[in-house]
Amino acid sequence: MRTLLLSVFLLLVVMGCGKDKNDPAEYIDQAPAFWGEEDCQGGLSVKAGPITGYTSTGGYLWAALVRNGQLYKAGNAIYIDAGSFTVGALWVGTSHLEIPEGLYEYHIYLTIDSNDVGDITRRDLEAGPMYYSLEYGSAADTNCVKIIQGDSVYFVVVTDGYGYKSIEVWDSSAGSQGYAWSALLNGDSLDNRWLVQLNANGLYFPLKVTDNNEDLRWIINAVKTSSPYNVVTAEVVVNKPARLGSQYNAYDDQISYWANVHAVPVAILKGLVDKESNKVGGEFDTSSYRYEPFTVDFAMITYNTGPLNPSALWHTPYNKYHMGIPEWLPWGPMAAGTLLVAADTMPAVLLYGAQVQDQNGDGYLSANEYLAISGQGDSWEHTIPEDSDFVAQTTIASSYGMAQLLWSTAVAPMAWNGGNGGNPHYLFHPDLILNLGAKYLRSRYLKYRQGNWYMDWRNALAYYNDDAGNYPYADDILINLVNLYQPQGDKR
Amino acid sequence: MKSVTFVLLLIALPYWAAGGGKPSELDFSALDIPATDRAIVETFMPDVIAEWLKAREIVPEALNQYICIVRGDAFRGDSAQPILTIYYSDGLGSGAIRIIDRSTGSANLVWQTDSASGGGWPGLRFIDLDCDSVKEMIAQSISATGNWSVMIVRRTGSTYRIISGRGEGYGLGGRLIEYRDLDGDCIKEVVVERDKDKKFDMKDKKVFRLDKGAGIYRIDTTLSRSIQK
């Protein structure tokens, strides 16, 4: 964890400064108290005050950090009337993200014309410079704990004989209402901000990434059991990881982002992607693709036993993206879906790693041509009547991309585009498929959780793969893959 | 026209009287069934599904992806019977199967599953698995990644019973599920194949036997080898 070590020193400038060129009686106190304050999110305020002085005109009092003669950062302006004035404090707000280590000048300016506020060359009165030295150090701040997404942080509360009744975790963005321990036990009701529930001891806090834009901050309070009911407070800052494990790192940012959005443990999501994706060139293959000839196409698309009887090919939105059918195959002749584009049709359709050939050269890949592939370990040929043949609807009966979601899953339960879906090849886009996949995994977690973190995510993964619960699938991810993709490094 | 209105009232009034009728903001016009059946589908729709559909602002054309309807007595293969079997699912695990009998002139709910019985994309098949001339209902769903799972329901007289549920203990989920009489006793076995390891790997095959009394159980997998081509 990196923290700031601030050292502030004051240099008084005695010659000429603080005097208006036309009225020597006008001045700004040259030696106000001067200090820097940091918060847990890396925010930094350089403050001075109280500030006294006199102005015959009134104007705007403001402070600025200056470096190498250039304005670096201006603070807010405070209007003062003509006459003697005392201002409690002026400050310049910035953050670790925008201010590097170094020596800064801190000036206080009085500007009469409001249009000149922020322009250090057009000030009317000035105090300073005071010198502000900023450096990053290693001093630990026990009240400000910084972790990375997916990390765990443990708190040990040392009692003083009166004990503590609970540790509370508050989301400060909820204002004074906040949420306490009891709410945490049902943490998923809190707008999915919790990644997991607390464990039995209440010491386990994997939390979503701190987001200053959403004012998402995590405050840990330990509350005493008896009077005085004072509180020990710490804040947890959760930063984005630089990488997830040491392999297949090209899409770590997207995986981290969507894991965080949908409150999925980030290593679990990457483990799922590993499980579902082919690998190409040392990275996940974003164009992983699998046509499902029997379970989806035969049973639910072309010859439908589901809601879209007798064939999904006539139903919206399937009718917009299906393959064309010649007149000699079932349901033909049928033109290709009106919204289908060339990128949706795979140039070389693969079935379990083998390329399917258009053997009769009629321009259509049919069921029989899939059956011609041998040794694939798939016995769908047992079930489909031998004399049946139909156009393989590779566009709408396939699973896609890094999360291997079916196009039909994206359309229906995930309500992609209001249930209208989109061009199948869009699902190769990492952001879209990771968004849908993480969202679907989260829905499995919410559906099957029972209060035990590990088992709840085991259930989520098992039911992600199939609705009967594929636990070998889940265990492979949790036991063998998650450890490979632990978050590393701090990407602030 | 009056008679049509009267029939509709006959169908609808019992549900309203029972508190089951509820106004809907959903447009059911896209369901490819007669208007009277659409009214029943709407009336017996589980609240959880209706609320989910409304929250998602599902377009009418997409509504039929969540509601699988079989008209007639599919257990007997008699399409003329005034029975509707409806499988509602939000595709996320919530939903229900409901069987509605209209033979008395009003619509009566004769059997239903609980609201957690939904799966992925819903489907209904009727196959006589146990060779007693009454078909079993196979409620199947497709998961997000293309795996199937099934729940099998047997009807005996007017009694319905789930003889295989979903979940780890049943194992009836996988890349392929087929129903074949492997040993010649007229009772069809259930053959389930899963991805063996990763999604693009070869398959792992398991065989389950239907038992008229106890339900369904897994049998020695050596039998599965006999059905390999």
Side-chain angles (χ1 to χ4, degrees), chain A residues 3-16:
Chain A
T3 62
L4 286 177
L5 178 63
L6 300 177
S7 65
V8 178
F9 59 91
L10 182 65
L11 178 64
L12 295 179
V13 178
V14 294
M15 296 298 292

Side-chain angles (χ1 to χ4, degrees), chain B residues 25-81:
Chain B
E25 300 163 8
L26 296 169
D27 182 354
F28 288 84
S29 59
L31 293 181
D32 190 22
I33 53 175
T36 50
D37 288 351
R38 287 206 296 265
I40 291 175
V41 167
E42 179 179 2
T43 299
F44 287 94
M45 174 176 280
D47 288 343
V48 64
I49 300 298
E51 290 166 6
W52 187 88
L53 290 170
K54 290 173 189 173
R56 297 299 179 99
E57 298 180 344
I58 301 296
V59 296
E61 291 77 10
L63 192 65
N64 53 14
Q65 299 169 73
Y66 306 91
I67 304 167
C68 179
I69 306 164
V70 174
R71 304 178 75 231
D73 183 355
F75 287 88
R76 294 281 185 189
D78 184 352
S79 60
Q81 292 299 312

Side-chain angles (χ1 to χ4, degrees), chain B residues 38-167:
Chain B
R38 287 206 296 265
I40 291 175
V41 167
E42 179 179 2
T43 299
F44 287 94
M45 174 176 280
D47 288 343
V48 64
I49 300 298
E51 290 166 6
W52 187 88
L53 290 170
K54 290 173 189 173
R56 297 299 179 99
E57 298 180 344
I58 301 296
V59 296
E61 291 77 10
L63 192 65
N64 53 14
Q65 299 169 73
Y66 306 91
I67 304 167
C68 179
I69 306 164
V70 174
R71 304 178 75 231
D73 183 355
F75 287 88
R76 294 281 185 189
D78 184 352
S79 60
Q81 292 299 312
I83 292 174
L84 284 180
T85 303
I86 312 170
Y87 186 175
Y88 303 91
S89 175
D90 65 356
L92 299 170
S94 293
I97 301 168
R98 293 182 170 171
I99 298 177
I100 315 299
D101 186 352
R102 294 178 294 160
S103 59
T104 62
S106 61
N108 296 302
L109 178 64
V110 295
W111 185 79
Q112 65 178 326
T113 61
D114 62 46
S115 62
S117 301
W121 193 0
L124 291 169
R125 300 176 71 187
F126 290 83
I127 301 173
D128 183 7
L129 297 175
D130 55 5
C131 203
D132 65 351
S133 300
V134 178
K135 294 179 180 181
E136 276 63 50
M137 177 169 68
I138 300 167
Q140 62 193 28
S141 65
I142 295 180
S143 77
T145 59
N147 278 327
W148 251 2
S149 68
V150 300
M151 178 173 63
I152 301 174
V153 177
R154 171 184 285 147
R155 187 174 86 182
T156 305
S158 59
T159 302
Y160 299 85
R161 191 163 70 91
I162 299 172
I163 59 173
S164 80
R166 295 192 178 89

Side-chain angles (χ1 to χ4, degrees), chain A residues 224-238:
Chain A
K224 278 194 169 182
T225 56
S226 58
S227 180
Y229 298 101
N230 57 315
V231 173
V232 177
T233 299
E235 181 168 357
V236 179
V237 175
V238 187

Side-chain angles (χ1 to χ4, degrees), chain A residues 274 290 292 294-295 300 305 307 315 318 377 379 383 399 406 409 412-413 440 444 447 465-468 470, chain B residues 64-67 92-94 120 122 124 140-145 147 149 167 175-176 178 193-194 198-199 203:
Chain A
D274 181 307
R290 179 159 143 172
E292 304 290 356
F294 180 74
T295 52
M300 300 296 271
T305 58
H315 291 265
Y318 301 86
S379 63
T383 307
S399 51
L406 290 173
T409 298
Y440 186 73
R444 304 299 77 199
K447 179 76 179 176
N465 185 249
D466 75 43
D467 295 329
N470 185 352
Chain B
N64 53 14
Q65 299 169 73
Y66 306 91
I67 304 167
L92 299 170
S94 293
L124 291 169
Q140 62 193 28
S141 65
I142 295 180
S143 77
T145 59
N147 278 327
S149 68
R175 188 61 60 184
L176 174 67
E178 57 180 325
E193 294 186 38
R194 285 184 184 276
K198 297 196 175 185
K199 183 161 184 177
K203 305 279 180 128

Side-chain angles (χ1 to χ4, degrees), chain A residues 356-478:
Chain A
V356 178
Q357 303 289 340
D358 177 13
Q359 295 180 326
N360 60 10
D362 66 354
Y364 298 91
L365 292 172
S366 70
N368 281 339
E369 284 163 336
Y370 275 87
L371 291 176
I373 298 176
S374 61
Q376 299 302 312
D378 182 70
S379 63
W380 68 298
E381 65 269 31
H382 290 295
T383 307
I384 295 178
E386 292 182 359
D387 59 349
S388 72
D389 197 10
F390 55 91
V391 166
Q393 293 297 335
T394 54
T395 50
I396 58 177
S398 299
S399 51
Y400 287 86
M402 298 167 74
Q404 281 295 292
L405 287 184
L406 290 173
W407 183 82
S408 55
T409 298
V411 167
M414 305 312 297
W416 177 26
N417 192 19
N420 281 311
N423 286 91
H425 79 277
Y426 290 170
L427 295 174
F428 289 137
H429 194 286
D431 279 312
L432 176 58
I433 198 67
L434 288 170
N435 181 6
L436 294 173
K439 188 175 183 180
Y440 186 73
L441 180 60
R442 179 68 182 183
S443 76
R444 304 299 77 199
Y445 169 78
L446 295 175
K447 179 76 179 176
Y448 297 104
R449 68 190 167 91
Q450 296 175 324
N452 176 291
W453 186 88
Y454 185 89
M455 293 306 295
D456 288 348
W457 284 105
R458 183 172 183 256
N459 287 339
L461 290 165
Y463 284 91
Y464 180 97
N465 185 249
D466 75 43
D467 295 329
N470 185 352
Y471 285 90
Y473 171 93
D475 289 340
D476 188 35
I477 292 174
L478 290 174

Side-chain angles (χ1 to χ4, degrees), chain A residues 13-36:
Chain A
V13 178
V14 294
M15 296 298 292
C17 295
K19 294 182 180 178
D20 183 86
K21 53 183 179 286
N22 298 320
D23 185 355
E26 301 202 29
Y27 75 100
I28 301 174
D29 177 13
Q30 295 295 311
F34 177 55
W35 71 97

